[in-house]
PDB file of all heavy atoms in Angstrom:
ATOM      1  N   HIS A 159       0.596 -23.535 -18.955  1.00 90.00           N
ATOM      2  CA  HIS A 159       0.194 -22.564 -17.975  1.00 90.00           C
ATOM      3  C   HIS A 159       0.671 -21.112 -18.276  1.00 90.00           C
ATOM      4  O   HIS A 159       0.005 -20.176 -17.924  1.00 90.00           O
ATOM      5  CB  HIS A 159       0.799 -22.908 -16.528  1.00 90.00           C
ATOM      6  CG  HIS A 159      -0.006 -23.970 -15.900  1.00 90.00           C
ATOM      7  ND1 HIS A 159       0.451 -24.683 -14.732  1.00 90.00           N
ATOM      8  CD2 HIS A 159      -1.309 -24.502 -16.041  1.00 90.00           C
ATOM      9  CE1 HIS A 159      -0.535 -25.498 -14.310  1.00 90.00           C
ATOM     10  NE2 HIS A 159      -1.572 -25.351 -15.087  1.00 90.00           N
ATOM     11  N   PHE A 211      10.293 -26.296 -16.024  1.00 86.00           N
ATOM     12  CA  PHE A 211       9.210 -25.313 -15.462  1.00 86.00           C
ATOM     13  C   PHE A 211       8.162 -25.020 -16.627  1.00 86.00           C
ATOM     14  O   PHE A 211       6.978 -24.976 -16.353  1.00 86.00           O
ATOM     15  CB  PHE A 211       9.798 -24.088 -14.982  1.00 86.00           C
ATOM     16  CG  PHE A 211       8.780 -23.257 -14.258  1.00 86.00           C
ATOM     17  CD1 PHE A 211       8.441 -23.467 -12.949  1.00 86.00           C
ATOM     18  CD2 PHE A 211       8.274 -22.138 -14.944  1.00 86.00           C
ATOM     19  CE1 PHE A 211       7.557 -22.640 -12.276  1.00 86.00           C
ATOM     20  CE2 PHE A 211       7.379 -21.279 -14.240  1.00 86.00           C
ATOM     21  CZ  PHE A 211       7.021 -21.562 -12.944  1.00 86.00           C
ATOM     22  N   ALA A 236       4.266 -26.777 -11.861  1.00 86.00           N
ATOM     23  CA  ALA A 236       5.695 -26.719 -11.778  1.00 86.00           C
ATOM     24  C   ALA A 236       6.047 -25.734 -10.713  1.00 86.00           C
ATOM     25  O   ALA A 236       5.476 -24.636 -10.556  1.00 86.00           O
ATOM     26  CB  ALA A 236       6.308 -26.332 -13.114  1.00 86.00           C
ATOM     27  N   PHE A 237       7.164 -26.039  -9.922  1.00 87.00           N
ATOM     28  CA  PHE A 237       7.645 -25.130  -8.863  1.00 87.00           C
ATOM     29  C   PHE A 237       9.156 -24.842  -9.233  1.00 87.00           C
ATOM     30  O   PHE A 237       9.809 -25.754  -9.778  1.00 87.00           O
ATOM     31  CB  PHE A 237       7.589 -25.771  -7.508  1.00 87.00           C
ATOM     32  CG  PHE A 237       6.102 -25.894  -6.990  1.00 87.00           C
ATOM     33  CD1 PHE A 237       5.360 -26.915  -7.356  1.00 87.00           C
ATOM     34  CD2 PHE A 237       5.619 -24.945  -6.132  1.00 87.00           C
ATOM     35  CE1 PHE A 237       4.074 -27.068  -6.839  1.00 87.00           C
ATOM     36  CE2 PHE A 237       4.325 -25.015  -5.705  1.00 87.00           C
ATOM     37  CZ  PHE A 237       3.577 -26.075  -5.991  1.00 87.00           C
ATOM     38  N   LYS A 238       9.493 -23.731  -8.796  1.00 87.00           N
ATOM     39  CA  LYS A 238      11.000 -23.459  -8.878  1.00 87.00           C
ATOM     40  C   LYS A 238      11.340 -22.520  -7.789  1.00 87.00           C
ATOM     41  O   LYS A 238      10.553 -21.577  -7.282  1.00 87.00           O
ATOM     42  CB  LYS A 238      11.373 -22.808 -10.249  1.00 87.00           C
ATOM     43  CG  LYS A 238      10.845 -21.445 -10.461  1.00 87.00           C
ATOM     44  CD  LYS A 238      11.230 -20.911 -11.881  1.00 87.00           C
ATOM     45  CE  LYS A 238      10.596 -19.589 -12.205  1.00 87.00           C
ATOM     46  NZ  LYS A 238      10.989 -19.078 -13.508  1.00 87.00           N
ATOM     47  N   CYS A 257      10.230 -18.127  -4.569  1.00 91.00           N
ATOM     48  CA  CYS A 257       9.636 -19.420  -5.017  1.00 91.00           C
ATOM     49  C   CYS A 257       8.472 -19.136  -5.832  1.00 91.00           C
ATOM     50  O   CYS A 257       7.639 -18.208  -5.573  1.00 91.00           O
ATOM     51  CB  CYS A 257       9.343 -20.418  -3.843  1.00 91.00           C
ATOM     52  SG  CYS A 257       7.996 -19.886  -2.821  1.00 91.00           S
ATOM     53  N   THR A 258       8.306 -19.858  -6.957  1.00 90.00           N
ATOM     54  CA  THR A 258       7.236 -19.585  -7.942  1.00 90.00           C
ATOM     55  C   THR A 258       6.511 -20.882  -8.277  1.00 90.00           C
ATOM     56  O   THR A 258       7.163 -21.958  -8.440  1.00 90.00           O
ATOM     57  CB  THR A 258       7.842 -18.999  -9.237  1.00 90.00           C
ATOM     58  OG1 THR A 258       8.587 -17.776  -8.898  1.00 90.00           O
ATOM     59  CG2 THR A 258       6.804 -18.607 -10.209  1.00 90.00           C
ATOM     60  N   ILE A 259       5.264 -20.831  -8.502  1.00 90.00           N
ATOM     61  CA  ILE A 259       4.445 -21.893  -9.014  1.00 90.00           C
ATOM     62  C   ILE A 259       3.818 -21.506 -10.290  1.00 90.00           C
ATOM     63  O   ILE A 259       3.591 -20.304 -10.516  1.00 90.00           O
ATOM     64  CB  ILE A 259       3.321 -22.275  -7.935  1.00 90.00           C
ATOM     65  CG1 ILE A 259       2.547 -23.498  -8.531  1.00 90.00           C
ATOM     66  CG2 ILE A 259       2.360 -21.113  -7.739  1.00 90.00           C
ATOM     67  CD1 ILE A 259       1.522 -23.983  -7.431  1.00 90.00           C
ATOM     68  N   SER A 260       3.738 -22.433 -11.214  1.00 89.00           N
ATOM     69  CA  SER A 260       3.315 -22.156 -12.570  1.00 89.00           C
ATOM     70  C   SER A 260       1.895 -21.567 -12.597  1.00 89.00           C
ATOM     71  O   SER A 260       1.571 -20.746 -13.363  1.00 89.00           O
ATOM     72  CB  SER A 260       3.376 -23.348 -13.477  1.00 89.00           C
ATOM     73  OG  SER A 260       2.626 -24.395 -12.902  1.00 89.00           O
ATOM     74  N   ARG A 261       0.991 -22.076 -11.757  1.00 88.00           N
ATOM     75  CA  ARG A 261      -0.311 -21.526 -11.613  1.00 88.00           C
ATOM     76  C   ARG A 261      -0.756 -21.709 -10.278  1.00 88.00           C
ATOM     77  O   ARG A 261      -0.678 -22.869  -9.682  1.00 88.00           O
ATOM     78  CB  ARG A 261      -1.335 -22.210 -12.539  1.00 88.00           C
ATOM     79  CG  ARG A 261      -2.692 -21.564 -12.562  1.00 88.00           C
ATOM     80  CD  ARG A 261      -3.672 -22.303 -13.519  1.00 88.00           C
ATOM     81  NE  ARG A 261      -4.182 -23.511 -12.848  1.00 88.00           N
ATOM     82  CZ  ARG A 261      -5.100 -23.579 -11.980  1.00 88.00           C
ATOM     83  NH1 ARG A 261      -5.777 -22.543 -11.597  1.00 88.00           N
ATOM     84  NH2 ARG A 261      -5.509 -24.789 -11.416  1.00 88.00           N
ATOM     85  N   LEU A 262      -1.299 -20.677  -9.578  1.00 88.00           N
ATOM     86  CA  LEU A 262      -1.667 -20.743  -8.176  1.00 88.00           C
ATOM     87  C   LEU A 262      -3.146 -21.234  -8.144  1.00 88.00           C
ATOM     88  O   LEU A 262      -4.095 -20.564  -8.598  1.00 88.00           O
ATOM     89  CB  LEU A 262      -1.547 -19.477  -7.527  1.00 88.00           C
ATOM     90  CG  LEU A 262      -1.674 -19.494  -5.983  1.00 88.00           C
ATOM     91  CD1 LEU A 262      -0.552 -20.333  -5.295  1.00 88.00           C
ATOM     92  CD2 LEU A 262      -1.603 -18.067  -5.374  1.00 88.00           C
ATOM     93  N   PRO A 263      -3.409 -22.436  -7.659  1.00 85.00           N
ATOM     94  CA  PRO A 263      -4.777 -22.982  -7.687  1.00 85.00           C
ATOM     95  C   PRO A 263      -5.668 -22.108  -6.804  1.00 85.00           C
ATOM     96  O   PRO A 263      -5.254 -21.301  -5.926  1.00 85.00           O
ATOM     97  CB  PRO A 263      -4.687 -24.412  -7.064  1.00 85.00           C
ATOM     98  CG  PRO A 263      -3.305 -24.763  -7.179  1.00 85.00           C
ATOM     99  CD  PRO A 263      -2.458 -23.457  -7.131  1.00 85.00           C
ATOM    100  N   LEU A 268       1.132 -19.244  -1.300  1.00 91.00           N
ATOM    101  CA  LEU A 268       2.555 -19.511  -1.028  1.00 91.00           C
ATOM    102  C   LEU A 268       3.038 -18.691   0.230  1.00 91.00           C
ATOM    103  O   LEU A 268       2.685 -17.568   0.318  1.00 91.00           O
ATOM    104  CB  LEU A 268       3.476 -19.228  -2.146  1.00 91.00           C
ATOM    105  CG  LEU A 268       3.285 -20.063  -3.445  1.00 91.00           C
ATOM    106  CD1 LEU A 268       4.117 -19.527  -4.613  1.00 91.00           C
ATOM    107  CD2 LEU A 268       3.628 -21.521  -3.178  1.00 91.00           C
ATOM    108  N   HIS A 283       4.186 -10.713  -2.784  1.00 84.00           N
ATOM    109  CA  HIS A 283       3.652 -11.720  -3.695  1.00 84.00           C
ATOM    110  C   HIS A 283       3.286 -10.979  -5.042  1.00 84.00           C
ATOM    111  O   HIS A 283       2.559  -9.948  -5.007  1.00 84.00           O
ATOM    112  CB  HIS A 283       2.430 -12.351  -3.044  1.00 84.00           C
ATOM    113  CG  HIS A 283       2.696 -13.139  -1.840  1.00 84.00           C
ATOM    114  ND1 HIS A 283       2.882 -12.530  -0.627  1.00 84.00           N
ATOM    115  CD2 HIS A 283       2.917 -14.505  -1.667  1.00 84.00           C
ATOM    116  CE1 HIS A 283       3.177 -13.537   0.260  1.00 84.00           C
ATOM    117  NE2 HIS A 283       3.115 -14.694  -0.343  1.00 84.00           N
ATOM    118  N   TYR A 284       3.699 -11.582  -6.112  1.00 83.00           N
ATOM    119  CA  TYR A 284       3.345 -11.079  -7.347  1.00 83.00           C
ATOM    120  C   TYR A 284       3.554 -12.157  -8.390  1.00 83.00           C
ATOM    121  O   TYR A 284       4.459 -13.035  -8.272  1.00 83.00           O
ATOM    122  CB  TYR A 284       4.189  -9.865  -7.850  1.00 83.00           C
ATOM    123  CG  TYR A 284       5.619 -10.174  -8.192  1.00 83.00           C
ATOM    124  CD1 TYR A 284       6.005 -10.342  -9.435  1.00 83.00           C
ATOM    125  CD2 TYR A 284       6.537 -10.332  -7.077  1.00 83.00           C
ATOM    126  CE1 TYR A 284       7.333 -10.691  -9.753  1.00 83.00           C
ATOM    127  CE2 TYR A 284       7.830 -10.713  -7.457  1.00 83.00           C
ATOM    128  CZ  TYR A 284       8.259 -10.839  -8.755  1.00 83.00           C
ATOM    129  OH  TYR A 284       9.505 -11.101  -9.085  1.00 83.00           O
ATOM    130  N   ASN A 285       2.664 -12.284  -9.429  1.00 82.00           N
ATOM    131  CA  ASN A 285       2.779 -13.302 -10.499  1.00 82.00           C
ATOM    132  C   ASN A 285       3.076 -14.619 -10.064  1.00 82.00           C
ATOM    133  O   ASN A 285       3.966 -15.303 -10.485  1.00 82.00           O
ATOM    134  CB  ASN A 285       3.895 -12.856 -11.491  1.00 82.00           C
ATOM    135  CG  ASN A 285       3.567 -11.507 -12.133  1.00 82.00           C
ATOM    136  OD1 ASN A 285       2.402 -11.075 -12.206  1.00 82.00           O
ATOM    137  ND2 ASN A 285       4.609 -10.873 -12.728  1.00 82.00           N
ATOM    138  N   ASN A 286       2.288 -15.167  -9.062  1.00 89.00           N
ATOM    139  CA  ASN A 286       2.379 -16.494  -8.523  1.00 89.00           C
ATOM    140  C   ASN A 286       3.744 -16.775  -7.869  1.00 89.00           C
ATOM    141  O   ASN A 286       4.272 -17.880  -7.790  1.00 89.00           O
ATOM    142  CB  ASN A 286       2.148 -17.559  -9.568  1.00 89.00           C
ATOM    143  CG  ASN A 286       0.725 -17.388 -10.201  1.00 89.00           C
ATOM    144  OD1 ASN A 286      -0.174 -17.020  -9.529  1.00 89.00           O
ATOM    145  ND2 ASN A 286       0.631 -17.815 -11.435  1.00 89.00           N
ATOM    146  N   THR A 287       4.396 -15.628  -7.341  1.00 91.00           N
ATOM    147  CA  THR A 287       5.678 -15.711  -6.771  1.00 91.00           C
ATOM    148  C   THR A 287       5.728 -15.128  -5.375  1.00 91.00           C
ATOM    149  O   THR A 287       5.112 -14.089  -5.137  1.00 91.00           O
ATOM    150  CB  THR A 287       6.700 -14.947  -7.629  1.00 91.00           C
ATOM    151  OG1 THR A 287       6.783 -15.562  -8.920  1.00 91.00           O
ATOM    152  CG2 THR A 287       8.080 -15.063  -7.046  1.00 91.00           C
ATOM    153  N   ALA A 288       6.340 -15.858  -4.427  1.00 92.00           N
ATOM    154  CA  ALA A 288       6.456 -15.417  -3.046  1.00 92.00           C
ATOM    155  C   ALA A 288       7.954 -14.996  -2.858  1.00 92.00           C
ATOM    156  O   ALA A 288       8.869 -15.852  -3.150  1.00 92.00           O
ATOM    157  CB  ALA A 288       5.993 -16.390  -2.058  1.00 92.00           C
TER     158      ALA A 288
END
Side-chain angles (χ1 to χ4, degrees):
H159 278 166
F211 189 81
F237 289 84
K238 65 180 177 181
C257 67
T258 302
I259 185 173
S260 57
R261 188 184 75 83
L262 193 62
L268 295 172
H283 295 79
Y284 73 97
N285 296 341
N286 301 330
T287 300

